[in-house]
Amino acid sequence: VREREKGEIWDEDVSCAAAVLKGSLVGKPKWFKDIPQSISFDLKRGEIIESSVSEDVDQSEDEEATTVSVDIKEFQRSVLYFQVKPFKPHSRTGEFRGKPISVFVAHLKSKRPSRVRKPYWNMDEENALGLAMSTIKRTAEAAALRFLLIKEMKGNDTPVILLGDLNDDPHSNTLDIISGAPRYLDSRGHDTALYSTNFLEQYRSLRDIYYTYVHQNKHETLDHILVSEEFYENSKRCRWKFRGLYLKNDHLDKDKATKEHEADGTSDHAIVKAKFEYNCFERNHNDKNNPGPNR
């Protein structure tokens, strides 16, 4: 997004990056390394029970809940945030359509087991605890990312896109936390919900051949594009019509290791592309000045 300025020192921590069309960036990008101070993973028993009070939730399982304490203060990989103005295709005057779009780029903790070691644990026990630790870290990052997204979307009609390697599947708890787990076919949109372009494509095509990563002969969907209700056609705030999801995953070979991809300059993940068409039809049929849909 930007070049290193003279004399500037960057942290060695891995951060997310993005490439945007020249002239489309609004303001300066920023990275979130620290977990928002408003979020706490240190919850006592009474707080956990209170947080699950709901008319349609059975509290019997939560009554025995114990204290939960997770000391995670920062993202393993800094989350990138920036805004872009969507240019009208083939415009020679720099004309753009709609409001600036807020974009988040994230790369959450992988499923690879964290390295944990106790002198009295065997390898299987270390692996089990390592997998649990990775899940806890990824879940905490997902919740922290959700806080950032809610702050950006709540009470306004700002178009928001989240994209990146979220290291979990579309139906996972991780994705439910980040997206707010919205309903699709019977929903009219929600202020702080994010909608998976994977699901939007499935509802259009009636097929599921979506995978972005192959590991040990297992086809997984780890890379996602999630969009706010301004891109969801059933919402009254929809301004961008979904036109399709496209994957380039032919280069993924179940027998090809990550190092082999690096050697020949390819990625061990698929390239995910979502296409939307701007439609400035405001759903107000009395607006005589409405110019109709534009790409």
Side-chain angles (χ1 to χ4, degrees), residues 5 13 37 54 63 72 75 118 151 176 191 228 266 275:
E5 297 179 4
D13 297 331
Q37 294 182 353
S54 175
E63 290 177 354
I72 296 178
F75 292 99
K118 291 285 187 180
K151 184 177 180 180
D176 280 349
D191 186 27
S228 62
T266 62
K275 186 176 180 180

PDB file of all heavy atoms in Angstrom, residues 5 13 37 54 63 72 75 118 151 176 191 228 266 275:
ATOM      1  N   GLU A   5       9.340   4.919   4.056  1.00  0.00           N
ATOM      2  CA  GLU A   5       9.905   6.261   3.981  1.00  0.00           C
ATOM      3  C   GLU A   5      11.361   6.247   4.446  1.00  0.00           C
ATOM      4  O   GLU A   5      11.783   5.379   5.208  1.00  0.00           O
ATOM      5  CB  GLU A   5       9.077   7.220   4.837  1.00  0.00           C
ATOM      6  CG  GLU A   5       7.638   7.366   4.351  1.00  0.00           C
ATOM      7  CD  GLU A   5       6.842   8.304   5.225  1.00  0.00           C
ATOM      8  OE1 GLU A   5       7.438   8.892   6.158  1.00  0.00           O
ATOM      9  OE2 GLU A   5       5.626   8.446   4.987  1.00  0.00           O
ATOM     10  N   ASP A  13       7.719  -7.988  12.660  1.00  0.00           N
ATOM     11  CA  ASP A  13       6.503  -8.783  12.693  1.00  0.00           C
ATOM     12  C   ASP A  13       5.860  -8.809  11.315  1.00  0.00           C
ATOM     13  O   ASP A  13       5.868  -7.824  10.584  1.00  0.00           O
ATOM     14  CB  ASP A  13       5.502  -8.202  13.699  1.00  0.00           C
ATOM     15  CG  ASP A  13       6.043  -8.244  15.118  1.00  0.00           C
ATOM     16  OD1 ASP A  13       6.849  -9.157  15.388  1.00  0.00           O
ATOM     17  OD2 ASP A  13       5.672  -7.392  15.926  1.00  0.00           O
ATOM     18  N   GLN A  37      -8.625  -2.485  23.344  1.00  0.00           N
ATOM     19  CA  GLN A  37      -8.672  -2.474  24.804  1.00  0.00           C
ATOM     20  C   GLN A  37     -10.067  -2.776  25.346  1.00  0.00           C
ATOM     21  O   GLN A  37     -10.213  -3.173  26.496  1.00  0.00           O
ATOM     22  CB  GLN A  37      -8.192  -1.117  25.331  1.00  0.00           C
ATOM     23  CG  GLN A  37      -6.722  -0.847  25.042  1.00  0.00           C
ATOM     24  CD  GLN A  37      -6.259   0.486  25.614  1.00  0.00           C
ATOM     25  OE1 GLN A  37      -7.055   1.269  26.113  1.00  0.00           O
ATOM     26  NE2 GLN A  37      -4.956   0.728  25.539  1.00  0.00           N
ATOM     27  N   SER A  54     -30.497 -15.695  27.635  1.00  0.00           N
ATOM     28  CA  SER A  54     -31.334 -15.486  26.459  1.00  0.00           C
ATOM     29  C   SER A  54     -32.559 -16.375  26.582  1.00  0.00           C
ATOM     30  O   SER A  54     -32.500 -17.458  27.155  1.00  0.00           O
ATOM     31  CB  SER A  54     -30.558 -15.813  25.181  1.00  0.00           C
ATOM     32  OG  SER A  54     -31.399 -15.721  24.060  1.00  0.00           O
ATOM     33  N   GLU A  63     -24.345 -23.164  33.758  1.00  0.00           N
ATOM     34  CA  GLU A  63     -24.376 -22.946  35.195  1.00  0.00           C
ATOM     35  C   GLU A  63     -23.123 -23.470  35.884  1.00  0.00           C
ATOM     36  O   GLU A  63     -22.776 -23.031  36.969  1.00  0.00           O
ATOM     37  CB  GLU A  63     -25.632 -23.601  35.781  1.00  0.00           C
ATOM     38  CG  GLU A  63     -26.918 -22.874  35.373  1.00  0.00           C
ATOM     39  CD  GLU A  63     -28.149 -23.576  35.888  1.00  0.00           C
ATOM     40  OE1 GLU A  63     -27.995 -24.666  36.460  1.00  0.00           O
ATOM     41  OE2 GLU A  63     -29.255 -23.044  35.702  1.00  0.00           O
ATOM     42  N   ILE A  72      -4.083 -12.780  25.681  1.00  0.00           N
ATOM     43  CA  ILE A  72      -3.650 -12.476  24.320  1.00  0.00           C
ATOM     44  C   ILE A  72      -3.835 -10.981  24.100  1.00  0.00           C
ATOM     45  O   ILE A  72      -4.957 -10.475  24.159  1.00  0.00           O
ATOM     46  CB  ILE A  72      -4.447 -13.285  23.278  1.00  0.00           C
ATOM     47  CG1 ILE A  72      -4.161 -14.780  23.459  1.00  0.00           C
ATOM     48  CG2 ILE A  72      -4.089 -12.846  21.867  1.00  0.00           C
ATOM     49  CD1 ILE A  72      -4.929 -15.675  22.503  1.00  0.00           C
ATOM     50  N   PHE A  75      -2.508  -9.169  17.774  1.00  0.00           N
ATOM     51  CA  PHE A  75      -2.626 -10.070  16.623  1.00  0.00           C
ATOM     52  C   PHE A  75      -1.249 -10.629  16.279  1.00  0.00           C
ATOM     53  O   PHE A  75      -0.245  -9.915  16.346  1.00  0.00           O
ATOM     54  CB  PHE A  75      -3.174  -9.327  15.408  1.00  0.00           C
ATOM     55  CG  PHE A  75      -4.605  -8.881  15.532  1.00  0.00           C
ATOM     56  CD1 PHE A  75      -4.909  -7.572  15.889  1.00  0.00           C
ATOM     57  CD2 PHE A  75      -5.652  -9.758  15.293  1.00  0.00           C
ATOM     58  CE1 PHE A  75      -6.228  -7.138  15.992  1.00  0.00           C
ATOM     59  CE2 PHE A  75      -6.972  -9.345  15.396  1.00  0.00           C
ATOM     60  CZ  PHE A  75      -7.257  -8.042  15.752  1.00  0.00           C
ATOM     61  N   LYS A 118       6.059 -29.753  28.015  1.00  0.00           N
ATOM     62  CA  LYS A 118       6.211 -30.033  29.430  1.00  0.00           C
ATOM     63  C   LYS A 118       7.015 -31.327  29.548  1.00  0.00           C
ATOM     64  O   LYS A 118       6.846 -32.252  28.749  1.00  0.00           O
ATOM     65  CB  LYS A 118       4.852 -30.206  30.109  1.00  0.00           C
ATOM     66  CG  LYS A 118       4.019 -28.933  30.210  1.00  0.00           C
ATOM     67  CD  LYS A 118       4.545 -27.997  31.279  1.00  0.00           C
ATOM     68  CE  LYS A 118       3.601 -26.815  31.466  1.00  0.00           C
ATOM     69  NZ  LYS A 118       4.103 -25.884  32.515  1.00  0.00           N
ATOM     70  N   LYS A 151     -17.186  -1.658  15.005  1.00  0.00           N
ATOM     71  CA  LYS A 151     -16.940  -0.224  15.167  1.00  0.00           C
ATOM     72  C   LYS A 151     -17.022   0.500  13.830  1.00  0.00           C
ATOM     73  O   LYS A 151     -17.506   1.631  13.747  1.00  0.00           O
ATOM     74  CB  LYS A 151     -15.570  -0.004  15.803  1.00  0.00           C
ATOM     75  CG  LYS A 151     -15.259   1.453  16.104  1.00  0.00           C
ATOM     76  CD  LYS A 151     -13.917   1.599  16.802  1.00  0.00           C
ATOM     77  CE  LYS A 151     -13.618   3.061  17.100  1.00  0.00           C
ATOM     78  NZ  LYS A 151     -12.297   3.223  17.778  1.00  0.00           N
ATOM     79  N   ASP A 176     -18.103 -17.623  12.007  1.00  0.00           N
ATOM     80  CA  ASP A 176     -19.342 -17.152  12.643  1.00  0.00           C
ATOM     81  C   ASP A 176     -19.064 -15.946  13.537  1.00  0.00           C
ATOM     82  O   ASP A 176     -19.839 -14.988  13.576  1.00  0.00           O
ATOM     83  CB  ASP A 176     -19.979 -18.264  13.474  1.00  0.00           C
ATOM     84  CG  ASP A 176     -20.758 -19.253  12.615  1.00  0.00           C
ATOM     85  OD1 ASP A 176     -20.975 -18.956  11.425  1.00  0.00           O
ATOM     86  OD2 ASP A 176     -21.134 -20.320  13.129  1.00  0.00           O
ATOM     87  N   ASP A 191     -27.134  -4.552  10.096  1.00  0.00           N
ATOM     88  CA  ASP A 191     -26.208  -3.424  10.165  1.00  0.00           C
ATOM     89  C   ASP A 191     -24.749  -3.855  10.308  1.00  0.00           C
ATOM     90  O   ASP A 191     -23.863  -3.293   9.673  1.00  0.00           O
ATOM     91  CB  ASP A 191     -26.619  -2.522  11.345  1.00  0.00           C
ATOM     92  CG  ASP A 191     -25.803  -1.252  11.405  1.00  0.00           C
ATOM     93  OD1 ASP A 191     -25.328  -0.805  10.346  1.00  0.00           O
ATOM     94  OD2 ASP A 191     -25.645  -0.698  12.505  1.00  0.00           O
ATOM     95  N   SER A 228     -20.162  -6.427   3.655  1.00  0.00           N
ATOM     96  CA  SER A 228     -21.249  -5.894   4.472  1.00  0.00           C
ATOM     97  C   SER A 228     -22.556  -5.884   3.678  1.00  0.00           C
ATOM     98  O   SER A 228     -22.585  -6.216   2.488  1.00  0.00           O
ATOM     99  CB  SER A 228     -20.902  -4.483   4.944  1.00  0.00           C
ATOM    100  OG  SER A 228     -20.754  -3.609   3.840  1.00  0.00           O
ATOM    101  N   THR A 266       4.927 -19.661  -7.301  1.00  0.00           N
ATOM    102  CA  THR A 266       3.470 -19.736  -7.171  1.00  0.00           C
ATOM    103  C   THR A 266       3.073 -19.750  -5.700  1.00  0.00           C
ATOM    104  O   THR A 266       3.892 -20.023  -4.828  1.00  0.00           O
ATOM    105  CB  THR A 266       2.915 -21.002  -7.850  1.00  0.00           C
ATOM    106  OG1 THR A 266       3.459 -22.167  -7.197  1.00  0.00           O
ATOM    107  CG2 THR A 266       3.247 -21.022  -9.321  1.00  0.00           C
ATOM    108  N   LYS A 275     -16.734 -10.395  -7.861  1.00  0.00           N
ATOM    109  CA  LYS A 275     -17.107  -9.313  -8.763  1.00  0.00           C
ATOM    110  C   LYS A 275     -18.471  -8.748  -8.368  1.00  0.00           C
ATOM    111  O   LYS A 275     -19.427  -9.490  -8.136  1.00  0.00           O
ATOM    112  CB  LYS A 275     -17.161  -9.824 -10.208  1.00  0.00           C
ATOM    113  CG  LYS A 275     -17.410  -8.736 -11.244  1.00  0.00           C
ATOM    114  CD  LYS A 275     -17.345  -9.312 -12.651  1.00  0.00           C
ATOM    115  CE  LYS A 275     -17.580  -8.233 -13.704  1.00  0.00           C
ATOM    116  NZ  LYS A 275     -17.515  -8.783 -15.076  1.00  0.00           N
TER     117      LYS A 275
END
